[in-house]
Amino acid sequence: MITIIDYDTGNTRNVKNALDFLGVPNQLSADPNEILMADGLILPGVGAFKKAMDSLNERGLAPVIQQAADAGIPILGICLGMQILFDTSYEFGESTGLGLIAGEVVPIPEDLGVKVPHMGWDQNRSRKVDPLGDGFDEQFSYFVHSYYVKTTSESIVSTVDYGVQIPSIVRKDNVIGFQFHPEKSGAVGLNGLSKFKEMVENADYSRN
Amino acid sequence: MLAKRIIPCLDVDHGRVKKGVNFVNLQYVGDPVEIAAAYQQQGADELVFLDITATNEKRKAMAETIRKVASQVFMPLTVGGGIHSVDDMQNLLKAGADKTAINSAAVSNPEVITAGAEKFGVQCVVLAIDAKWNSARRQYDVYVNGGRQQTNLNAIEWAKKGVALGAGELLVTSMDKDGTKSGYDIQLYKQLTAAVNVPVIASGGCGQLGDFVEVFDQADVDGALAASVFHFGELTISEVKADLRKDGVIVR
């Protein structure tokens, strides 16, 4: 069972629609037990970083997600859900994220002649071999964001070129992030969710 | 870099898809879910659903239509028509829409743009503008109520104001071109894209393959919307994209 973490953010319903369409067993939940007992977790997110972290903290979920990550449960963060996997964001002042991957969230520079938000279909380039990223090389996926992640090259699976190189897929062990919306990226996006499902099925971890 | 978007537009009346020609004559086309899925297959980058239902009571059907489409079709969905308030926006976003397009209500109550942007983010708020060239005043006038009522707004100035208020995208229909199949209104889009720094979607006038190349080559628009050329199979999206690719336009 994949648990989609339900914490009052925008795109939860569409993520569920995509998993249902793929026939992947899933549930929406904010219950710590259902999160810790899940085979895999999806952390969606739309909106502002601080509000999303506040929303997780109000439900006591930040330490639960950190515990799930430590236990090796595969976690997929989508869009803002990916950004809050990192240490710090500078959106509306400095806020602290989940700290599951080292890095920070900074504004997309507007002085490069690009429109912000970065909204639309952009082309992924693989930066390393990874089963989660391979299906995306050269493929377009759908992005909507004004901030992007700065992280070390070890964590970057693929990028898109938008004046700066924006990490589109990140990964540290069992923790994965898609900056784009796989649930809005047609067949390519659905394929990414299927790959995550495979990863969940093959995950090797023990619960204490 | 972002791909240029090709966007079919579906006119929906009480759950059924129709195509409005010059906003007046309607022809039946079909079931929204079926049509949306067919467009996904063809490679559409986004779908716009325009609610042309006459009464508010029947308009509730739109959220249900979007809910059905969003469970089968996985691309960005924009809904316009009859959206007056943040609550209207919320209902459609909850049903699975990604963006809401506000037209007449934004003219009568510009604060709704800001309220929507603050609540959902600028990316959810599309300002839809129906523009018509006024040769006496030498400007594009803004029309509301499905193109039936002229306002005293200048479309370029209104676009700038809308962006300042929080609109994250502009969907601009040329009333002079709509239904004519004589190509997009290049002058209008040149002026608009020079005036704002948010994505602009061109709408109205598309009749043949070359119209897409022309609008992307000559104006810095981000997307081109069309309805009847796609609905009646005169052009397919894949054929439009192949033609654009040949011309060096980045498409998905």
Side-chain angles (χ1 to χ4, degrees):
Chain A
M1 177 72 81
I2 289 180
T3 296
I4 304 167
I5 299 171
D6 188 9
Y7 66 110
D8 191 26
T9 185
N11 62 337
T12 325
R13 181 78 233 168
N14 286 327
V15 172
K16 181 162 179 44
N17 280 341
L19 293 179
D20 288 346
F21 185 82
L22 291 167
V24 178
N26 70 88
Q27 62 183 354
L28 286 169
S29 178
D31 176 345
N33 286 323
E34 286 182 336
I35 291 172
L36 290 169
M37 290 309 294
D39 301 314
L41 294 172
I42 293 185
L43 183 60
V46 166
F49 190 99
K50 185 173 184 314
K51 191 168 167 290
M53 277 309 293
D54 287 349
S55 201
L56 279 180
N57 283 323
E58 278 161 24
R59 291 164 174 77
L61 293 180
V64 175
I65 297 167
Q66 284 156 340
Q67 193 185 333
D70 288 345
I73 298 175
I75 300 180
L76 172 63
I78 295 175
C79 194
L80 179 64
M82 158 177 148
Q83 296 185 353
I84 63 180
L85 300 173
F86 287 83
D87 297 319
T88 312
S89 165
Y90 295 95
E91 186 175 9
F92 302 121
E94 190 175 328
S95 7
T96 304
L98 293 169
L100 301 179
I101 310 180
E104 55 183 29
V105 181
V106 299
I108 298 171
E110 291 192 55
D111 51 11
L112 299 170
V114 295
K115 294 177 184 178
V116 178
H118 174 229
M119 179 163 67
W121 296 84
D122 213 333
Q123 194 171 25
N124 296 279
R125 308 264 181 223
S126 284
R127 296 294 165 188
K128 61 160 72 164
V129 176
D130 189 296
L132 262 305
D134 294 348
F136 287 94
D137 192 28
E138 306 290 312
Q139 300 294 318
F140 287 83
S141 53
Y142 187 73
F143 293 80
V144 183
H145 61 124
S146 301
Y147 285 72
Y148 76 108
V149 157
K150 275 189 141 167
T151 183
T152 55
S153 57
E154 301 90 80
S155 306
I156 299 175
V157 175
S158 74
T159 57
V160 295
D161 178 8
Y162 198 60
V164 289
Q165 294 297 319
I166 292 178
S168 54
I169 302 178
V170 294
R171 177 167 186 180
K172 189 189 172 207
D173 306 324
N174 56 315
V175 180
I176 297 128
F178 289 171
Q179 179 62 69
F180 52 84
H181 287 279
E183 78 284 8
K184 287 288 166 182
S185 296
V188 166
L190 294 179
N191 182 50
L193 290 172
S194 296
K195 288 281 168 60
F196 178 68
K197 184 199 105 184
E198 282 169 28
M199 181 188 161
V200 168
E201 286 167 351
N202 299 327
D204 181 22
Y205 55 86
S206 58
R207 285 196 181 91
N208 293 321
Chain B
M1 286 291 107
L2 289 170
K4 298 294 187 183
R5 290 176 260 161
I6 304 299
I7 308 171
C9 176
L10 310 177
D11 286 358
V12 179
D13 182 6
H14 200 193
R16 288 178 178 274
V17 176
K18 298 185 176 190
K19 161 61 188 162
V21 180
N22 282 334
F23 302 106
V24 181
N25 301 314
L26 302 174
Q27 285 168 287
Y28 173 78
V29 179
D31 169 50
V33 179
E34 222 169 85
I35 293 177
Y39 279 134
Q40 175 168 259
Q41 195 69 34
Q42 274 192 26
D45 297 305
E46 187 169 331
L47 292 173
V48 170
F49 293 84
L50 189 60
D51 192 350
I52 54 167
T53 309
T55 67
N56 286 324
E57 188 49 40
K58 288 185 177 168
R59 200 171 272 140
K60 289 178 184 152
M62 196 58 178
E64 189 48 36
T65 299
I66 294 302
R67 200 167 289 121
K68 285 185 198 153
V69 172
S71 69
Q72 301 295 317
V73 172
F74 301 97
M75 67 171 129
L77 307 174
T78 301
V79 186
I83 297 171
H84 291 99
S85 64
V86 168
D87 282 352
D88 291 343
M89 295 168 73
Q90 177 150 297
N91 287 339
L92 293 162
L93 294 171
K94 273 201 166 160
D98 299 278
K99 309 179 201 180
T100 51
I102 320 174
N103 191 328
S104 308
V107 171
S108 53
N109 177 25
E111 295 78 36
V112 75
I113 300 175
T114 311
E118 279 174 0
K119 181 144 187 170
F120 311 113
V122 296
Q123 77 282 353
C124 290
V125 184
V126 178
L127 177 61
I129 301 175
D130 292 337
K132 190 174 176 160
W133 178 247
N134 182 327
S135 51
R137 295 172 72 186
R138 312 226 24 98
Q139 67 167 41
Y140 290 97
D141 291 335
V142 174
Y143 280 68
V144 292
N145 295 334
R148 287 184 293 271
Q149 191 187 330
Q150 187 179 354
T151 71
N152 57 14
L153 292 171
N154 170 325
I156 308 299
E157 294 308 313
W158 173 229
K160 283 200 257 186
K161 188 179 173 198
V163 171
L165 288 169
E169 182 161 288
L170 302 176
L171 167 56
V172 183
T173 302
S174 161
M175 294 178 60
D176 301 299
K177 290 288 195 170
D178 200 50
T180 64
K181 298 203 167 190
S182 61
Y184 292 98
D185 191 336
I186 302 299
Q187 279 315 312
L188 171 61
Y189 301 113
K190 273 189 171 171
Q191 290 189 29
L192 279 165
T193 53
V196 299
N197 193 34
V198 299
V200 173
I201 310 302
S203 157
C206 175
Q208 50 185 320
L209 219 44
D211 295 339
F212 290 96
V213 170
E214 187 189 42
V215 74
F216 288 123
D217 272 357
Q218 298 198 21
D220 186 26
V221 297
D222 299 82
L225 179 142
S228 55
V229 287
F230 293 139
H231 291 337
F232 300 119
E234 294 162 27
L235 296 175
T236 65
I237 291 163
S238 19
E239 130 185 278
V240 169
K241 288 193 170 180
D243 193 55
L244 288 168
R245 221 171 267 127
K246 207 170 62 188
D247 196 65
V249 177
I250 298 174
V251 287
R252 180 168 71 100

